Amino acid sequence: MLDLWYKNAVVYCVDVETFMDADGDGCGDFQGLADRLDHIEALGATCIWLLPFYASPNRDNGYDVSDYYQVDPRLGSLGDFVRFAREARGRGIRVIVDLVVNHTSIDHPWFQKARADPNSRYRDFYLWSEERPEDAASGVVFPGVQETTWTWDEAAQAYYFHRFYAHQADLNLANPAVREEIEKIMGFWLELGVSGFRLDAVPFIIEDKPRSPFRTAGQRNGTADAEPDPHAFLTYLRRFMSWRKAEAILLAEANVPSETIPAYFGDDADRMTMVFDFLLNQATSLALAREDARPIAALMRERPPIHEVAQWATFLRNHDELDLGRLSDAERAEVFAAFAPDEGMRLYDRGIRRRLASMLGGDTRRIAMATSLMLALPGTPVFWYGEEIGMGENLDLPERDAVRTPMQWNESASAGFSPAAPEDLVRPLVSAPDFAPRAVNVAEQGENGDSLLERIRRLVRARRACPEIGWGRTEILETDEPAVLALHASWRGGAVVTLHNLSPRHVTVTPRVADRHERLRPILCDSGGRLTQDAGEPVAIPAHGYVWFRADEERR
């Protein structure tokens, strides 16, 4: 029997170096993370997603890996990782880790051997050109920061390809030896107890890269042994992982057009287990900016159908910029005007480098409503650490680092993150008065039953008690109020109705479910309400409010 644990999971994303410092050196570590598992458990999360923690020169927050089999010594040791994973498992919390195999750091021994000797077996681990390609300036991922995708290496006497930064050389994934190494990496971490991988940069992994990386040596020599579909590599990864651990998952980072998404899941759900729903995330951002639910409803109606064992991953913010690249220019301008009016709040001509709470003005009601909305959307919700208390960003930090500041545990000088002095922390704390540790922290909110943290804990409990959302079919219910998103999720005879008011106005709506249900019983209501009501009765929703109902059994 398949173990589809991810269907009703709640995922909490952690950057180990900024979560909790146990040894006092100013940098978070696995011991500190283990010490704070009680917080993650109390939130209701059932799975922790770890950002890269491998050995790395750390030029790109760990996404420049120099050794896949070692923990960054600042964060601890392999033993510390295993101890953390075991303690998490003891609390019923699974762990998934980032798998970064589109590229390696140029400090990786593979690249160092490849550049030193053209006859080395590692030379074909990467993509080389003796001359600078004509299109070297095109296809950059980080406009305004990155200028080329080909960089000259003096030792190799050749240009090497890098879709991302110059210190991240792309791997030649058509090379069977590279694929064998990836198998070893996946197998190693599966043996250490992880329940799967978040696969980084999936569209770039399968793209038809320069020098034809998805053509085998045989095809380059004129034979016909090439893979007909680059997505087949995803099937290859899934098959290997399933052989090693059947219940393990692959979560894809794939910000791609709607019509291409089914290929990432596969017709038989044999590729990516889950895919981040970037399109719904961007529609949600537009809806929040307009205070109008219609962009979400429109996107959901256009969502491609997926296999019953596949799953979307929903989110509001993550560790990168809020990418708005799939919106039209006019729509993106609307979101910028609402949430990033200053140029310094924007990044790469497409995104916003702010956290959710600051974009929503620190308004607890609005942040809670947005979180409730995320939890009600079909899929598996993913939190970015600190969202549960409404952390802000530090715009003095470069690029994406603005949203990767130390977790704020209390109001002390170093926010309870570390015994070290503030100036010795791995990154500076948030300093804006409304979001600094004195104003936003776990300790204070944990003692206030009406705080954002306590509201989100209640929301997560409600979401976990509503498997219909993760497992079932979700329909959009028509209302006469454009600011309200009304959803009906059903599964195995159970049904949940959720209503979210995106506007700053009090509204009254009648969810159109009277033809299917007689009674609605509130699960969550941020303004009180009767214990039960007839399905055809109107519902009052306060400004930026939400109501969750459990419906009685559907009429036959």
Side-chain angles (χ1 to χ4, degrees):
M1 177 181 288
L2 293 174
D3 184 354
L4 308 183
W5 60 268
Y6 52 89
K7 280 285 195 173
N8 203 43
V10 176
V11 182
Y12 187 81
C13 180
V14 170
D15 190 348
V16 179
E17 72 173 3
T18 55
F19 198 66
M20 183 67 198
D21 170 25
D23 63 11
D25 64 354
C27 181
D29 46 51
F30 275 109
Q31 182 57 58
L33 176 54
D35 291 344
R36 291 295 189 176
L37 281 171
D38 55 344
H39 171 75
I40 299 173
E41 182 181 22
L43 182 65
T46 61
C47 178
I48 295 172
W49 157 30
L50 297 178
L51 296 193
F53 54 84
Y54 313 106
S56 166
N58 252 307
R59 301 185 186 102
D60 184 25
N61 205 52
Y63 283 92
D64 48 331
V65 180
S66 58
D67 189 339
Y68 291 99
Y69 300 102
Q70 294 296 327
V71 170
D72 182 335
R74 299 175 308 142
L75 312 182
S77 65
L78 281 174
D80 293 322
F81 171 84
V82 171
R83 180 181 178 186
F84 149 73
R86 180 179 176 82
E87 292 187 17
R89 186 166 60 250
R91 296 169 181 257
I93 301 173
R94 293 177 180 266
V95 176
I96 64 173
V97 301
D98 249 296
L99 182 63
V100 187
V101 293
N102 178 72
H103 51 260
T104 72
S105 167
I106 57 174
D107 292 4
H108 196 290
W110 297 343
F111 187 82
Q112 291 300 312
K113 292 174 181 176
R115 68 195 290 263
D117 181 3
N119 297 314
S120 166
R121 69 181 293 264
Y122 296 103
R123 188 73 163 200
D124 198 35
F125 273 41
Y126 299 92
L127 304 162
W128 303 91
S129 176
E130 294 181 356
E131 297 181 356
R132 187 175 189 270
E134 293 182 359
D135 62 351
S138 64
V140 297
V141 174
F142 305 122
V145 176
Q146 178 189 5
E147 296 180 353
T148 182
T149 56
W150 288 91
T151 292
W152 175 258
D153 184 77
E154 193 65 30
Q157 287 295 293
Y159 291 89
Y160 63 91
F161 179 72
H162 52 90
R163 177 59 71 191
F164 294 86
Y165 295 110
H167 58 77
Q168 295 166 319
D170 273 37
L171 286 165
N172 177 8
L173 298 173
N175 184 343
V178 173
R179 297 187 178 202
E180 185 176 344
E181 292 293 340
I182 293 172
E183 288 184 7
K184 292 177 183 177
I185 294 164
M186 294 175 71
F188 178 82
W189 291 103
L190 289 170
E191 287 296 321
L192 290 185
V194 307
S195 292
F197 304 92
R198 179 264 192 182
L199 190 57
D200 183 55
V202 180
F204 301 110
I205 287 176
I206 64 172
E207 71 175 340
D208 188 15
K209 295 183 182 181
R211 305 303 172 230
S212 304
F214 278 103
R215 296 182 174 87
T216 64
Q219 188 192 34
R220 289 196 294 269
N221 293 331
T223 60
D225 58 349
E227 291 180 352
D229 178 8
H231 293 85
F233 182 59
L234 305 181
T235 307
Y236 160 83
L237 291 177
R238 176 71 174 277
R239 184 179 297 126
F240 172 80
M241 182 186 69
S242 297
W243 285 340
R244 292 295 181 93
K245 182 178 284 190
E247 74 273 17
I249 67 164
L250 285 174
L251 169 57
E253 180 201 28
N255 186 358
V256 294
S258 178
E259 63 273 14
T260 69
I261 291 174
Y264 286 82
F265 286 113
D267 292 339
D268 299 319
D270 58 352
R271 291 174 181 168
M272 298 293 99
T273 320
M274 301 171 63
V275 174
F276 276 111
D277 200 337
F278 280 93
L279 299 181
L280 184 57
N281 173 260
Q282 293 173 67
T284 301
S285 298
L286 180 61
L288 291 171
R290 290 178 174 175
E291 299 183 323
D292 184 328
R294 287 175 291 187
I296 302 174
L299 193 284
M300 288 181 64
R301 291 189 179 101
E302 298 170 0
R303 239 181 180 187
I306 61 175
H307 195 281
E308 62 182 352
V309 303
Q311 182 72 312
W312 298 103
T314 58
F315 65 103
L316 293 173
R317 282 295 284 114
N318 60 16
H319 61 294
D320 292 332
E321 76 279 7
L322 175 61
D323 193 332
L324 305 171
R326 301 289 171 187
L327 298 180
S328 69
D329 290 346
E331 290 169 337
R332 188 162 50 253
E334 282 186 71
V335 182
F336 279 161
F339 298 142
D342 298 334
E343 189 66 32
M345 299 174 176
R346 306 172 191 172
L347 193 61
Y348 311 138
D349 301 326
R350 63 172 184 257
I352 296 175
R353 62 190 204 103
R354 305 184 74 194
R355 278 185 173 260
L356 175 72
S358 54
M359 288 194 296
L360 298 182
D363 184 335
T364 297
R365 288 189 56 82
R366 198 175 182 196
I367 300 165
M369 181 275 295
T371 304
S372 175
L373 173 62
M374 175 189 72
L375 291 166
L377 293 171
T380 295
V382 181
F383 284 89
W384 173 229
Y385 81 92
E387 284 185 354
E388 69 273 25
I389 58 172
M391 278 179 59
E393 69 282 335
N394 186 337
L395 293 173
D396 292 334
L397 298 177
E399 298 182 63
R400 298 158 160 182
D401 285 355
V403 300
R404 300 169 178 173
T405 57
M407 181 67 175
Q408 296 171 192
W409 297 103
N410 60 40
E411 64 175 15
S412 65
S414 292
F417 163 72
S418 172
E423 61 270 20
D424 294 326
L425 302 185
V426 63
R427 288 199 189 99
L429 294 162
V430 173
S431 57
D434 290 343
F435 296 97
R438 185 171 293 277
V440 175
N441 66 75
V442 173
E444 181 178 337
Q445 291 192 27
E447 297 176 354
N448 178 357
D450 199 39
S451 68
L452 179 63
L453 175 59
E454 290 302 317
R455 293 184 189 206
I456 291 181
R457 284 173 174 170
R458 290 193 291 270
L459 283 164
V460 172
R461 285 197 295 271
R463 171 62 179 79
R464 289 182 60 185
C466 296
E468 294 90 345
I469 297 172
W471 284 87
R473 177 173 178 264
T474 298
E475 304 169 64
I476 299 165
L477 300 174
E478 298 296 333
T479 73
D480 296 325
E481 175 52 68
V484 173
L485 183 69
L487 301 176
H488 179 277
S490 58
W491 181 66
R492 292 187 176 180
V496 173
V497 174
T498 58
L499 306 173
H500 290 84
N501 177 14
L502 277 64
S503 79
R505 300 177 288 106
H506 180 99
V507 299
T508 300
V509 298
T510 303
R512 295 174 184 172
V513 293
D515 59 333
R516 286 186 277 183
H517 305 284
E518 291 186 5
R519 307 286 281 173
L520 299 177
R521 176 172 55 83
I523 303 170
L524 270 180
C525 182
D526 65 340
S527 62
R530 287 176 289 176
L531 292 178
T532 59
Q533 68 176 65
D534 292 338
E537 289 186 75
V539 179
I541 315 174
H544 297 140
Y546 52 87
V547 185
W548 291 45
F549 293 104
R550 178 160 294 286
D552 62 8
E553 188 171 348
E554 290 203 39
R555 301 175 191 263
R556 298 294 182 183

